[in-house]
Amino acid sequence: MKVEIYSDLVCPWCYIGKRRFEEALAAFPDAADVDVVYRPFQLNPAASETAEPSAHVYERKFGRPAATIFGPLTRAAASEGITFRMDDALATNTFQAHRLLWFARRHGRQAEVKERLLAHYFTDGGDLGDREALAGLAEAAGLDRAATLAFLASSEGADEVRAELAEAAALGVTAVPAGSTLIFVVDLLTVWGGPTSRTPGSTRSA
């Protein structure tokens, strides 16, 4: 079974939902036969490549203090064993990080890189557009640092990632999910999320 998950690396509910999905998948009898693929989605494709505090982005978007948003998100993450330090988070364009995930998939390390990218943003206050930082994360996940830097300095994978973004739009993925829902594909587009008592492949309306 192939599961394709569309998410962005700065989406808090995608990180929380990822944990819930992983817990449910671990209880799935045929988990070893499930091929999980992370596909790109950008909450803000027009985001600047120059990092700025995420708090500023949230306040511009929602028109209220970021603390009123970060508090509930941090508590929800903690319930899944994730540490959010949103006050330290840096917003930037995520396209290069999605390119890295594409590269990691080709080398069998996508899941490891995905987790490190999420922690880099939500926990460590890292810049997802910094090539050196991205190469360090890739190296920690088992990829060659020099090869990763060479890849990031090139245009390789850019067209492929753009094609996957376009495919997501064609499938009807117009936003990463609200609440705890994850959007993914299991041979056809379905919507899944919620408590981990639900098994992968079950569906509900978002």
Side-chain angles (χ1 to χ4, degrees), residues 98-129:
H98 283 300
R99 279 186 62 228
L100 177 58
L101 281 175
W102 177 88
F103 177 76
R105 170 71 178 170
R106 294 182 66 197
H107 294 276
R109 289 288 185 273
Q110 193 186 51
E112 295 86 349
V113 171
K114 174 77 170 183
E115 183 65 26
R116 282 170 172 78
L117 287 170
L118 290 166
H120 186 64
Y121 173 77
F122 286 102
T123 305
D124 301 331
D127 181 353
L128 288 173

mmCIF file of all heavy atoms in Angstrom, residues 98-129:
data_model
loop_
_atom_site.group_PDB
_atom_site.id
_atom_site.type_symbol
_atom_site.label_atom_id
_atom_site.label_comp_id
_atom_site.label_asym_id
_atom_site.label_seq_id
_atom_site.Cartn_x
_atom_site.Cartn_y
_atom_site.Cartn_z
ATOM 1 N N HIS A 98 11.495 21.460 0.473
ATOM 2 C CA HIS A 98 10.748 20.435 -0.251
ATOM 3 C C HIS A 98 11.629 19.778 -1.319
ATOM 4 O O HIS A 98 11.504 18.568 -1.576
ATOM 5 C CB HIS A 98 9.495 21.032 -0.887
ATOM 6 C CG HIS A 98 8.385 21.277 0.078
ATOM 7 N ND1 HIS A 98 7.811 20.265 0.821
ATOM 8 C CD2 HIS A 98 7.731 22.417 0.433
ATOM 9 C CE1 HIS A 98 6.859 20.758 1.587
ATOM 10 N NE2 HIS A 98 6.795 22.057 1.375
ATOM 11 N N ARG A 99 12.506 20.554 -1.928
ATOM 12 C CA ARG A 99 13.472 19.964 -2.855
ATOM 13 C C ARG A 99 14.353 18.950 -2.128
ATOM 14 O O ARG A 99 14.645 17.869 -2.666
ATOM 15 C CB ARG A 99 14.369 21.043 -3.473
ATOM 16 C CG ARG A 99 13.771 21.807 -4.639
ATOM 17 C CD ARG A 99 14.802 22.750 -5.251
ATOM 18 N NE ARG A 99 15.931 22.024 -5.790
ATOM 19 C CZ ARG A 99 17.212 22.321 -5.568
ATOM 20 N NH1 ARG A 99 17.543 23.340 -4.793
ATOM 21 N NH2 ARG A 99 18.172 21.599 -6.111
ATOM 22 N N LEU A 100 14.770 19.288 -0.917
ATOM 23 C CA LEU A 100 15.589 18.360 -0.138
ATOM 24 C C LEU A 100 14.834 17.069 0.149
ATOM 25 O O LEU A 100 15.407 15.972 0.085
ATOM 26 C CB LEU A 100 16.037 19.020 1.165
ATOM 27 C CG LEU A 100 16.846 18.131 2.112
ATOM 28 C CD1 LEU A 100 18.100 17.587 1.434
ATOM 29 C CD2 LEU A 100 17.217 18.901 3.383
ATOM 30 N N LEU A 101 13.551 17.175 0.453
ATOM 31 C CA LEU A 101 12.749 15.973 0.684
ATOM 32 C C LEU A 101 12.661 15.117 -0.586
ATOM 33 O O LEU A 101 12.681 13.880 -0.514
ATOM 34 C CB LEU A 101 11.341 16.353 1.155
ATOM 35 C CG LEU A 101 11.203 16.740 2.627
ATOM 36 C CD1 LEU A 101 9.789 17.211 2.913
ATOM 37 C CD2 LEU A 101 11.567 15.570 3.533
ATOM 38 N N TRP A 102 12.557 15.759 -1.728
ATOM 39 C CA TRP A 102 12.556 15.042 -3.000
ATOM 40 C C TRP A 102 13.871 14.292 -3.173
ATOM 41 O O TRP A 102 13.893 13.101 -3.540
ATOM 42 C CB TRP A 102 12.338 16.030 -4.147
ATOM 43 C CG TRP A 102 12.386 15.428 -5.521
ATOM 44 C CD1 TRP A 102 11.340 14.876 -6.211
ATOM 45 C CD2 TRP A 102 13.534 15.325 -6.373
ATOM 46 N NE1 TRP A 102 11.773 14.424 -7.443
ATOM 47 C CE2 TRP A 102 13.120 14.689 -7.572
ATOM 48 C CE3 TRP A 102 14.867 15.699 -6.238
ATOM 49 C CZ2 TRP A 102 13.990 14.425 -8.619
ATOM 50 C CZ3 TRP A 102 15.737 15.429 -7.287
ATOM 51 C CH2 TRP A 102 15.308 14.800 -8.465
ATOM 52 N N PHE A 103 14.981 14.960 -2.881
ATOM 53 C CA PHE A 103 16.320 14.366 -2.966
ATOM 54 C C PHE A 103 16.455 13.202 -1.983
ATOM 55 O O PHE A 103 16.966 12.132 -2.322
ATOM 56 C CB PHE A 103 17.350 15.461 -2.657
ATOM 57 C CG PHE A 103 18.783 15.006 -2.635
ATOM 58 C CD1 PHE A 103 19.469 14.766 -3.813
ATOM 59 C CD2 PHE A 103 19.457 14.866 -1.428
ATOM 60 C CE1 PHE A 103 20.815 14.375 -3.792
ATOM 61 C CE2 PHE A 103 20.792 14.480 -1.393
ATOM 62 C CZ PHE A 103 21.469 14.233 -2.587
ATOM 63 N N ALA A 104 15.977 13.412 -0.769
ATOM 64 C CA ALA A 104 16.069 12.377 0.264
ATOM 65 C C ALA A 104 15.270 11.139 -0.116
ATOM 66 O O ALA A 104 15.681 10.004 0.163
ATOM 67 C CB ALA A 104 15.587 12.929 1.599
ATOM 68 N N ARG A 105 14.127 11.335 -0.754
ATOM 69 C CA ARG A 105 13.315 10.207 -1.206
ATOM 70 C C ARG A 105 14.101 9.344 -2.185
ATOM 71 O O ARG A 105 14.065 8.110 -2.129
ATOM 72 C CB ARG A 105 12.028 10.733 -1.846
ATOM 73 C CG ARG A 105 11.192 9.685 -2.579
ATOM 74 C CD ARG A 105 10.522 8.711 -1.645
ATOM 75 N NE ARG A 105 9.701 7.754 -2.369
ATOM 76 C CZ ARG A 105 9.145 6.674 -1.825
ATOM 77 N NH1 ARG A 105 9.318 6.414 -0.552
ATOM 78 N NH2 ARG A 105 8.413 5.852 -2.547
ATOM 79 N N ARG A 106 14.826 9.971 -3.068
ATOM 80 C CA ARG A 106 15.611 9.240 -4.059
ATOM 81 C C ARG A 106 16.714 8.407 -3.405
ATOM 82 O O ARG A 106 17.166 7.415 -3.969
ATOM 83 C CB ARG A 106 16.234 10.210 -5.059
ATOM 84 C CG ARG A 106 15.238 10.939 -5.933
ATOM 85 C CD ARG A 106 15.947 11.842 -6.925
ATOM 86 N NE ARG A 106 16.724 11.068 -7.891
ATOM 87 C CZ ARG A 106 17.680 11.587 -8.653
ATOM 88 N NH1 ARG A 106 17.981 12.879 -8.569
ATOM 89 N NH2 ARG A 106 18.338 10.838 -9.505
ATOM 90 N N HIS A 107 17.131 8.825 -2.215
ATOM 91 C CA HIS A 107 18.223 8.137 -1.522
ATOM 92 C C HIS A 107 17.755 7.346 -0.305
ATOM 93 O O HIS A 107 18.573 6.946 0.532
ATOM 94 C CB HIS A 107 19.298 9.154 -1.128
ATOM 95 C CG HIS A 107 19.991 9.785 -2.299
ATOM 96 N ND1 HIS A 107 21.062 9.181 -2.940
ATOM 97 C CD2 HIS A 107 19.751 10.939 -2.976
ATOM 98 C CE1 HIS A 107 21.459 9.941 -3.952
ATOM 99 N NE2 HIS A 107 20.678 11.014 -3.992
ATOM 100 N N GLY A 108 16.453 7.139 -0.203
ATOM 101 C CA GLY A 108 15.920 6.287 0.853
ATOM 102 C C GLY A 108 15.960 6.860 2.246
ATOM 103 O O GLY A 108 15.940 6.111 3.234
ATOM 104 N N ARG A 109 15.980 8.193 2.361
ATOM 105 C CA ARG A 109 16.071 8.817 3.680
ATOM 106 C C ARG A 109 15.003 9.890 3.891
ATOM 107 O O ARG A 109 15.151 10.784 4.715
ATOM 108 C CB ARG A 109 17.453 9.453 3.888
ATOM 109 C CG ARG A 109 18.581 8.448 4.053
ATOM 110 C CD ARG A 109 18.492 7.765 5.407
ATOM 111 N NE ARG A 109 19.608 6.886 5.664
ATOM 112 C CZ ARG A 109 19.669 5.615 5.304
ATOM 113 N NH1 ARG A 109 18.657 5.075 4.633
ATOM 114 N NH2 ARG A 109 20.726 4.872 5.588
ATOM 115 N N GLN A 110 13.900 9.796 3.159
ATOM 116 C CA GLN A 110 12.921 10.876 3.237
ATOM 117 C C GLN A 110 12.276 10.998 4.610
ATOM 118 O O GLN A 110 12.115 12.097 5.129
ATOM 119 C CB GLN A 110 11.834 10.702 2.173
ATOM 120 C CG GLN A 110 10.977 11.954 2.019
ATOM 121 C CD GLN A 110 9.809 11.778 1.084
ATOM 122 O OE1 GLN A 110 9.042 10.829 1.209
ATOM 123 N NE2 GLN A 110 9.668 12.694 0.137
ATOM 124 N N ALA A 111 11.887 9.883 5.205
ATOM 125 C CA ALA A 111 11.227 9.941 6.512
ATOM 126 C C ALA A 111 12.127 10.569 7.560
ATOM 127 O O ALA A 111 11.691 11.392 8.373
ATOM 128 C CB ALA A 111 10.802 8.538 6.948
ATOM 129 N N GLU A 112 13.410 10.202 7.541
ATOM 130 C CA GLU A 112 14.355 10.738 8.509
ATOM 131 C C GLU A 112 14.570 12.243 8.313
ATOM 132 O O GLU A 112 14.635 13.010 9.278
ATOM 133 C CB GLU A 112 15.694 10.000 8.405
ATOM 134 C CG GLU A 112 15.631 8.527 8.779
ATOM 135 C CD GLU A 112 15.230 7.611 7.627
ATOM 136 O OE1 GLU A 112 14.795 8.148 6.564
ATOM 137 O OE2 GLU A 112 15.330 6.385 7.771
ATOM 138 N N VAL A 113 14.680 12.656 7.053
ATOM 139 C CA VAL A 113 14.879 14.072 6.766
ATOM 140 C C VAL A 113 13.625 14.868 7.101
ATOM 141 O O VAL A 113 13.703 15.978 7.655
ATOM 142 C CB VAL A 113 15.286 14.272 5.290
ATOM 143 C CG1 VAL A 113 15.283 15.760 4.920
ATOM 144 C CG2 VAL A 113 16.673 13.682 5.041
ATOM 145 N N LYS A 114 12.466 14.317 6.797
ATOM 146 C CA LYS A 114 11.201 15.004 7.101
ATOM 147 C C LYS A 114 11.110 15.332 8.586
ATOM 148 O O LYS A 114 10.774 16.468 8.974
ATOM 149 C CB LYS A 114 10.033 14.114 6.691
ATOM 150 C CG LYS A 114 8.647 14.625 7.078
ATOM 151 C CD LYS A 114 8.168 15.726 6.174
ATOM 152 C CE LYS A 114 6.704 16.034 6.433
ATOM 153 N NZ LYS A 114 6.192 17.072 5.514
ATOM 154 N N GLU A 115 11.396 14.369 9.434
ATOM 155 C CA GLU A 115 11.304 14.575 10.878
ATOM 156 C C GLU A 115 12.288 15.650 11.342
ATOM 157 O O GLU A 115 11.951 16.510 12.157
ATOM 158 C CB GLU A 115 11.572 13.266 11.614
ATOM 159 C CG GLU A 115 11.432 13.353 13.132
ATOM 160 C CD GLU A 115 10.013 13.667 13.591
ATOM 161 O OE1 GLU A 115 9.051 13.345 12.866
ATOM 162 O OE2 GLU A 115 9.880 14.259 14.683
ATOM 163 N N ARG A 116 13.484 15.623 10.789
ATOM 164 C CA ARG A 116 14.485 16.616 11.197
ATOM 165 C C ARG A 116 14.135 18.022 10.721
ATOM 166 O O ARG A 116 14.390 19.004 11.418
ATOM 167 C CB ARG A 116 15.862 16.190 10.688
ATOM 168 C CG ARG A 116 16.485 15.087 11.544
ATOM 169 C CD ARG A 116 17.731 14.480 10.915
ATOM 170 N NE ARG A 116 18.379 13.578 11.852
ATOM 171 C CZ ARG A 116 17.971 12.345 12.116
ATOM 172 N NH1 ARG A 116 16.901 11.872 11.503
ATOM 173 N NH2 ARG A 116 18.618 11.575 12.980
ATOM 174 N N LEU A 117 13.542 18.119 9.548
ATOM 175 C CA LEU A 117 13.116 19.429 9.047
ATOM 176 C C LEU A 117 12.019 20.022 9.936
ATOM 177 O O LEU A 117 12.054 21.218 10.262
ATOM 178 C CB LEU A 117 12.609 19.309 7.612
ATOM 179 C CG LEU A 117 13.662 19.075 6.532
ATOM 180 C CD1 LEU A 117 12.996 18.719 5.200
ATOM 181 C CD2 LEU A 117 14.566 20.292 6.366
ATOM 182 N N LEU A 118 11.066 19.208 10.332
ATOM 183 C CA LEU A 118 9.989 19.683 11.199
ATOM 184 C C LEU A 118 10.525 20.131 12.550
ATOM 185 O O LEU A 118 10.151 21.190 13.057
ATOM 186 C CB LEU A 118 8.943 18.583 11.371
ATOM 187 C CG LEU A 118 8.091 18.267 10.131
ATOM 188 C CD1 LEU A 118 7.336 16.957 10.312
ATOM 189 C CD2 LEU A 118 7.122 19.402 9.837
ATOM 190 N N ALA A 119 11.399 19.332 13.134
ATOM 191 C CA ALA A 119 11.977 19.698 14.431
ATOM 192 C C ALA A 119 12.838 20.951 14.298
ATOM 193 O O ALA A 119 12.880 21.791 15.218
ATOM 194 C CB ALA A 119 12.801 18.537 14.977
ATOM 195 N N HIS A 120 13.520 21.084 13.169
ATOM 196 C CA HIS A 120 14.366 22.258 12.928
ATOM 197 C C HIS A 120 13.538 23.536 13.005
ATOM 198 O O HIS A 120 13.969 24.534 13.611
ATOM 199 C CB HIS A 120 15.011 22.118 11.548
ATOM 200 C CG HIS A 120 16.013 23.162 11.206
ATOM 201 N ND1 HIS A 120 17.192 23.328 11.898
ATOM 202 C CD2 HIS A 120 16.024 24.104 10.211
ATOM 203 C CE1 HIS A 120 17.889 24.311 11.355
ATOM 204 N NE2 HIS A 120 17.196 24.809 10.343
ATOM 205 N N TYR A 121 12.357 23.506 12.401
ATOM 206 C CA TYR A 121 11.501 24.694 12.403
ATOM 207 C C TYR A 121 10.759 24.870 13.720
ATOM 208 O O TYR A 121 10.823 25.946 14.338
ATOM 209 C CB TYR A 121 10.497 24.611 11.250
ATOM 210 C CG TYR A 121 9.464 25.710 11.286
ATOM 211 C CD1 TYR A 121 9.775 27.000 10.879
ATOM 212 C CD2 TYR A 121 8.178 25.469 11.756
ATOM 213 C CE1 TYR A 121 8.835 28.023 10.939
ATOM 214 C CE2 TYR A 121 7.227 26.478 11.813
ATOM 215 C CZ TYR A 121 7.560 27.748 11.405
ATOM 216 O OH TYR A 121 6.626 28.756 11.477
ATOM 217 N N PHE A 122 10.062 23.848 14.170
ATOM 218 C CA PHE A 122 9.152 23.996 15.312
ATOM 219 C C PHE A 122 9.850 23.980 16.671
ATOM 220 O O PHE A 122 9.348 24.587 17.625
ATOM 221 C CB PHE A 122 8.079 22.899 15.281
ATOM 222 C CG PHE A 122 7.039 23.110 14.230
ATOM 223 C CD1 PHE A 122 7.069 22.389 13.052
ATOM 224 C CD2 PHE A 122 6.036 24.049 14.409
ATOM 225 C CE1 PHE A 122 6.119 22.595 12.066
ATOM 226 C CE2 PHE A 122 5.077 24.272 13.432
ATOM 227 C CZ PHE A 122 5.116 23.535 12.255
ATOM 228 N N THR A 123 10.971 23.298 16.769
ATOM 229 C CA THR A 123 11.629 23.147 18.069
ATOM 230 C C THR A 123 12.917 23.945 18.178
ATOM 231 O O THR A 123 13.186 24.555 19.217
ATOM 232 C CB THR A 123 11.928 21.655 18.339
ATOM 233 O OG1 THR A 123 10.720 20.900 18.230
ATOM 234 C CG2 THR A 123 12.519 21.455 19.727
ATOM 235 N N ASP A 124 13.697 23.954 17.100
ATOM 236 C CA ASP A 124 15.046 24.517 17.185
ATOM 237 C C ASP A 124 15.176 25.942 16.674
ATOM 238 O O ASP A 124 16.261 26.528 16.759
ATOM 239 C CB ASP A 124 16.030 23.617 16.418
ATOM 240 C CG ASP A 124 16.051 22.196 16.967
ATOM 241 O OD1 ASP A 124 15.791 22.025 18.178
ATOM 242 O OD2 ASP A 124 16.323 21.261 16.190
ATOM 243 N N GLY A 125 14.106 26.502 16.120
ATOM 244 C CA GLY A 125 14.177 27.869 15.610
ATOM 245 C C GLY A 125 15.079 28.005 14.406
ATOM 246 O O GLY A 125 15.704 29.053 14.193
ATOM 247 N N GLY A 126 15.159 26.956 13.590
ATOM 248 C CA GLY A 126 16.055 26.971 12.444
ATOM 249 C C GLY A 126 15.430 27.560 11.194
ATOM 250 O O GLY A 126 14.210 27.664 11.063
ATOM 251 N N ASP A 127 16.304 27.932 10.271
ATOM 252 C CA ASP A 127 15.908 28.540 9.003
ATOM 253 C C ASP A 127 15.834 27.442 7.942
ATOM 254 O O ASP A 127 16.860 26.854 7.566
ATOM 255 C CB ASP A 127 16.944 29.601 8.620
ATOM 256 C CG ASP A 127 16.629 30.319 7.311
ATOM 257 O OD1 ASP A 127 15.681 29.908 6.618
ATOM 258 O OD2 ASP A 127 17.351 31.283 6.983
ATOM 259 N N LEU A 128 14.639 27.161 7.440
ATOM 260 C CA LEU A 128 14.449 26.112 6.448
ATOM 261 C C LEU A 128 14.959 26.499 5.061
ATOM 262 O O LEU A 128 14.929 25.682 4.139
ATOM 263 C CB LEU A 128 12.964 25.738 6.356
ATOM 264 C CG LEU A 128 12.398 24.962 7.551
ATOM 265 C CD1 LEU A 128 10.888 24.804 7.417
ATOM 266 C CD2 LEU A 128 13.059 23.595 7.674
ATOM 267 N N GLY A 129 15.440 27.714 4.923
ATOM 268 C CA GLY A 129 15.995 28.142 3.650
ATOM 269 C C GLY A 129 17.511 28.195 3.641
ATOM 270 O O GLY A 129 18.121 28.503 2.616
#
